Amino acid sequence: MKLIRTEDAVGTVLCHDITQIIRGVTKDAVFRKGHIVTKEDIPVLLSVGKESLYVWEQEEGILHENDAAEILCAMCRDEEHMNRSGVKEGKIELTAACDGLLKVNREGLKAVNSFGRMMIATRHGNFTVRKGDKLAGTRIIPLVIEADQMEAARQAAMEATKGEPILKIMPFVHKKVGIVTTGNEVYSGRIPDTFTPVIREKVAEFDTEVIGHEIWNDDDEKVTGAILRLIDAGADVVLCTGGMSVDPDDKTPLAIKNTGADIVSYGAPVLPGAMFLLAYYKVHEGDHERTVAIMGLPGCAMYSKRTVFDLILPRVMADDVVTADELSSLGLGGFCLNCKICTFPNCGFGKGI
């Protein structure tokens, strides 16, 4: 750094905060370390008694924190679905431009943060975000950094993400939903169907319409037929409630299997929600193929406020295909504490490392 006259400081970078003290009004930094001095700043600096300043000497191949933050932002930003802030104190924040599912490329994120002199901090991926929600912040740790370090980080991120941004939002898609309620006790009218209202409430949080609802006893052939009828009627998602345990009368997993759907998993390492089933059914319509998600929902989804259903439903609504490997990884963070006051998704449920 070097010492220069304030009048000569336009375009230079401050090495320290400049504090303004007005008795009884304020004591705060009027300019922060790293600020690039403009012509309009000169009278302000003189008014707080700064007739000379310590500034960074510009060097070829060295980037100021603001310029470095721009590079980090470009690595992260899904330009179509994210807004960005201006640069403030070397930091840029990203916000959601639409409702959707946030995806975070963990390998790309780690690749950049492993350099140690720069950072990208994000919220958890695979969760719902709403328009205007904050998503991430980027900055470098020192005030200046070598340009070749930033280029190395950019290359590492591109290699890890195959050229995609580290963050992206998958907008929610309009879905037609079919519901199949199973159980001898409900079918016969011995008890009321209290499961379907819960499911309707959950799917109503997204852009959905329920196009059909069938109630059947524990007859796997009838349940299979109901699922296929709803698919033929145009359902994009079929939700089956009841009959998901290992009791002899519970035939819903068999019924789903007999549709010909590809079973991703019967069972998930999540509590509540261990007896969850996810399958995908391919529909061929001329030259077009569409995929229907079929879910068998365990009884806990009826009475527990949050379950595995809340972790998977947003992904289905964004056409984000869930794999068996991803389901198996839900065990870390998959234990809901059933807090007296539920703050989901602002809690640890469903958030592994």
Side-chain angles (χ1 to χ4, degrees):
M1 61 185 179
K2 65 179 180 178
L3 184 67
I4 63 172
R5 295 173 63 248
T6 297
E7 289 91 340
D8 300 329
V10 174
T12 61
V13 180
L14 294 176
C15 287
H16 56 87
D17 292 349
I18 304 295
T19 302
Q20 182 183 53
I21 302 175
I22 303 176
R23 184 179 179 185
V25 178
T26 184
K27 180 184 177 182
D28 197 8
V30 65
F31 297 110
R32 296 286 183 187
K33 179 181 73 172
H35 176 74
I36 300 175
V37 180
T38 67
K39 182 179 179 181
E40 291 73 24
D41 297 335
I42 301 301
V44 180
L45 289 164
L46 293 172
S47 74
V48 296
K50 300 300 179 183
E51 296 188 358
S52 58
L53 301 168
Y54 280 113
V55 298
W56 287 102
E57 293 188 78
Q58 298 295 325
E59 295 182 43
E60 186 177 350
I62 300 295
L63 297 176
H64 178 254
E65 62 179 352
N66 289 356
D67 298 318
E70 295 285 355
I71 295 171
L72 291 171
C73 177
M75 294 181 198
C76 293
R77 186 184 176 199
D78 169 1
E79 293 190 4
E80 185 177 0
H81 302 118
M82 293 179 189
N83 296 322
R84 50 154 294 172
S85 70
V87 188
K88 183 178 180 181
E89 300 172 8
K91 180 176 68 176
I92 297 174
E93 291 187 349
L94 295 175
T95 55
C98 65
D99 294 353
L101 181 80
L102 177 65
K103 301 293 292 183
V104 179
N105 187 300
R106 294 189 175 199
E107 290 74 20
L109 184 65
K110 184 177 180 181
V112 174
N113 287 334
S114 293
F115 278 79
R117 302 178 66 200
M118 59 199 72
M119 55 79 62
I120 302 167
T122 79
R123 64 194 297 164
H124 279 277
N126 287 338
F127 282 84
T128 296
V129 293
R130 301 295 180 185
K131 184 177 180 179
D133 283 353
K134 288 186 176 183
L135 306 176
T138 70
R139 68 168 305 151
I140 60 169
I141 308 303
L143 179 61
V144 294
I145 194 169
E146 296 84 357
D148 59 3
Q149 277 281 291
M150 295 306 301
E151 177 59 20
R154 191 183 70 82
Q155 291 292 341
M158 287 188 65
E159 182 177 343
T161 65
K162 297 180 172 57
E164 295 294 319
I166 292 173
L167 304 180
K168 69 175 181 178
I169 290 177
M170 299 180 69
F172 293 128
V173 180
H174 177 76
K175 295 290 186 182
K176 295 178 180 179
V177 178
I179 302 174
V180 180
T181 301
T182 68
N184 295 328
E185 66 281 13
V186 176
Y187 181 71
S188 64
R190 287 195 293 271
I191 66 169
D193 175 16
T194 56
F195 210 147
T196 300
V198 174
I199 299 307
R200 287 181 178 271
E201 185 178 342
K202 296 276 189 185
V203 301
E205 297 177 11
F206 302 90
D207 181 13
T208 59
E209 58 176 312
V210 177
I211 64 167
H213 176 213
E214 296 195 24
I215 302 176
W216 288 102
N217 60 351
D218 293 308
D219 182 322
D220 59 277
E221 292 184 1
K222 291 177 180 177
V223 175
T224 297
I227 295 170
L228 293 174
R229 281 191 297 275
L230 288 167
I231 292 173
D232 287 342
D236 304 299
V237 180
V238 178
L239 303 173
C240 301
T241 68
M244 289 300 300
S245 78
V246 294
D247 292 342
D249 290 335
D250 289 344
K251 305 287 184 62
T252 303
L254 176 61
I256 295 173
K257 178 183 178 182
N258 287 343
T259 64
D262 295 322
I263 306 295
V264 176
S265 179
Y266 175 30
V270 177
L271 290 173
M275 307 303 290
F276 171 76
L277 187 151
L278 175 65
Y280 290 105
Y281 183 92
K282 299 290 187 182
V283 181
H284 300 279
E285 299 169 334
D287 295 332
H288 176 68
E289 180 182 88
R290 65 186 179 94
T291 301
V292 178
I294 304 174
M295 284 181 267
L297 304 180
C300 61
M302 176 173 55
Y303 55 82
S304 295
K305 190 168 182 65
R306 298 297 178 183
T307 70
V308 66
F309 186 43
D310 297 282
L311 304 180
I312 302 302
L313 183 61
R315 298 190 61 178
V316 169
M317 292 300 164
D319 285 341
D320 184 33
V321 175
V322 181
T323 67
D325 183 64
E326 288 173 318
L327 279 173
S328 66
S329 71
L330 290 177
L332 182 59
F335 183 62
C336 178
L337 299 180
N338 294 308
C339 302
K340 192 170 293 185
I341 298 176
C342 179
T343 60
F344 179 86
N346 300 318
C347 68
F349 183 51
K351 297 183 176 77
I353 60 172

